[in-house]
């Protein structure tokens, strides 16, 4: 009986939530009667980067007078596809999304195209053979981020002939940042015989994932020189496991991370992370500008990248007060 009741209660809650959120699992906000209506499907809330990205998008929509229907997919592709279909049914003016993984979008992108609703990709790219199923891609060059991480490492160990054993905390399997950050990093270190990735595993871009996977690395390998983490949240989780193992993060194990959230800069200032490669989440204003142009039928560039830096420990303290996410 309890199970039935709880199932019914859950169903009612789900319908209520959907209705309250303006239908279709998206939360509505902003805009007037003639406002552009933008449906946005977000990956989830898995990391500090993602939270900052969401805040930038919501604030920018409000500032631009764009009515935003926002959906959080909790890192599940089927939730994103469902949200996009809901946006199509609601007849939004533009759809934008950050695809959690690269593949599996052909059908829903074709549906948006048939409905005459332009699509803008942000943050992560998709793999598709279809032509003209999205207007533009706004986001970082993840391969270059991986190269920057590799370049710093080979320069850091330039005078050493010793073997450099690297463990890699990969982002979500199949996602553009995980695939491309691995590609860029490997491209650089593979030019040097003494650098080797001895273990590599998916930590799903979360702190808990980083902590669990690093614990497994440490329990099976006592000769780790470097951790290359595809994002700060996994690096910060890994630091907890490294310290629990009685080792000094940033000293016993050199740590390289990507994103540039405040907590990572603090860890760098504390000597626990050695390098942070920036990946800028604050693309809200650029996205709203693009949405306006796409809605007006204006030509937009096929690919728009964002400017990003690389920060070492000696810059962390000074940079911290200026960090915006
Ligand atoms: C990168 C973004 C990644 C971040 C992670 O643009 O897709 O997803 O690096 C986030 O922190 O989870």
């Amino acid at each position: 009986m309890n199970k039935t009741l709880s199932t019914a209660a859950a169903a009612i809650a789900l319908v209520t939530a959907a209705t309250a959120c303006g239908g279709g699992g998206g939360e509505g906000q902003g805009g007037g009667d003639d406002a552009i209506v933008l449906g946005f499907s977000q990956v989830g809330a898995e990391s500090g980067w993602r939270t900052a990205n969401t805040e930038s998008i919501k604030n920018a929509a409000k500032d631009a007078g764009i009515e935003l229907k926002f959906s959080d997919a909790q890192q599940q592709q089927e939730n994103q596809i469902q949200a996009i279909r809901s946006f199509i049914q609601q007849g939004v003016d533009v759809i934008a999304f950050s695809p959690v993984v690269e593949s599996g979008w052909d059908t829903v992108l074709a549906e948006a195209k048939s409905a005459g609703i332009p699509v803008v990709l942000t943050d992560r790219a998709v793999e598709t053979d279809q032509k003209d199923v999205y207007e533009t891609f706004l986001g970082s060059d993840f391969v270059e981020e991986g190269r920057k991480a590799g370049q710093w490492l080979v320069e850091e160990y330039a005078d050493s002939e010793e073997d450099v054993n690297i463990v890699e905390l990969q982002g979500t399997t199949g996602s553009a940042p995980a695939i491309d950050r691995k590609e860029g990093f490997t491209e650089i270190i593979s030019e040097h015989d003494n650098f080797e990735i001895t273990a590599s595993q998916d930590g799903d871009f979360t702190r808990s994932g980083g902590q669990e996977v690093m614990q497994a690395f440490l329990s099976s390998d006592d000769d780790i020189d470097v951790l290359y983490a595809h994002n700060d949240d996994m690096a910060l989780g890994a630091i907890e496991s490294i310290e629990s193992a009685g080792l000094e993060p940033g000293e016993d194990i050199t740590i390289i991370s990507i994103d540039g959230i405040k907590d990572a800069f603090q860890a760098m200032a504390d000597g626990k992370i050695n390098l942070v490669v920036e990946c800028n989440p604050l693309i809200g204003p650029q996205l709203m500008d693009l949405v306006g142009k796409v809605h007006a039928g204006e030509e937009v560039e096929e690919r728009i990248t964002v400017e990003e830096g690389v920060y070492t420990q000696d810059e962390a303290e000074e940079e911290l007060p200026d960090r915006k996410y």
Side-chain angles (χ1 to χ4, degrees), residues 127-324:
E127 281 292 323
T128 179
D129 296 332
Q130 295 181 115
K131 290 271 169 277
D132 305 328
V133 286
Y134 60 87
E135 305 299 316
T136 183
F137 167 65
L138 165 62
S140 306
D141 181 342
F142 303 131
V143 177
E144 188 53 31
E145 291 170 353
R147 290 194 191 102
K148 288 175 183 175
Q151 201 52 51
W152 177 85
L153 187 63
V154 296
E155 285 164 12
E156 193 67 12
Y157 283 79
D159 304 334
S160 163
E161 292 299 310
E162 299 286 306
D163 285 348
V164 179
N165 297 323
I166 303 159
V167 292
E168 181 183 31
L169 267 170
Q170 290 191 52
T172 307
T173 299
S175 68
I179 293 166
D180 292 354
R181 285 170 182 167
K182 182 177 191 64
E183 178 188 326
F185 183 77
T186 308
E187 176 191 305
I188 300 297
I189 66 161
S190 57
E191 291 163 6
H192 305 264
D193 295 342
N194 59 325
F195 288 81
E196 185 189 2
I197 296 180
T198 54
S200 182
Q201 199 175 324
D202 178 356
D204 210 20
F205 285 126
T206 64
R207 293 193 189 203
S208 57
Q211 186 180 9
E212 285 156 27
V213 172
M214 191 67 209
Q215 199 170 348
F217 286 158
L218 289 163
S219 60
S220 58
D221 180 352
D222 60 3
D223 187 15
I224 298 172
D225 300 306
V226 178
L227 164 63
Y228 170 48
H230 289 184
N231 86 325
D232 295 340
D233 290 76
M234 293 191 292
L236 293 163
I239 283 170
E240 291 177 39
S241 296
I242 292 168
E243 290 176 326
S244 304
L247 297 172
E248 289 285 314
E251 294 289 333
D252 299 324
I253 296 179
T254 297
I255 300 180
I256 301 168
S257 184
I258 301 178
D259 275 352
I261 64 173
K262 281 195 185 95
D263 287 352
F265 272 81
Q266 187 57 60
M268 255 201 307
D270 298 340
K272 297 183 180 180
I273 290 181
N274 302 83
L275 183 86
V276 164
V277 176
E278 190 177 38
C279 176
N280 187 347
L282 308 180
I283 54 176
Q286 278 176 287
L287 173 59
M288 296 313 149
D289 180 53
L290 272 173
V291 165
K293 285 179 176 153
V294 161
H295 180 59
E298 292 175 29
E299 277 293 303
V300 292
E301 290 166 67
E302 211 171 285
R303 173 90 165 77
I304 299 149
T305 52
V306 283
E307 286 308 308
E308 295 161 342
V310 180
Y311 297 90
T312 55
Q313 265 182 14
D314 54 2
E315 297 166 298
E317 198 79 56
E318 188 187 342
E319 263 301 308
L320 247 175
D322 299 335
R323 296 306 298 171
K324 297 187 179 64

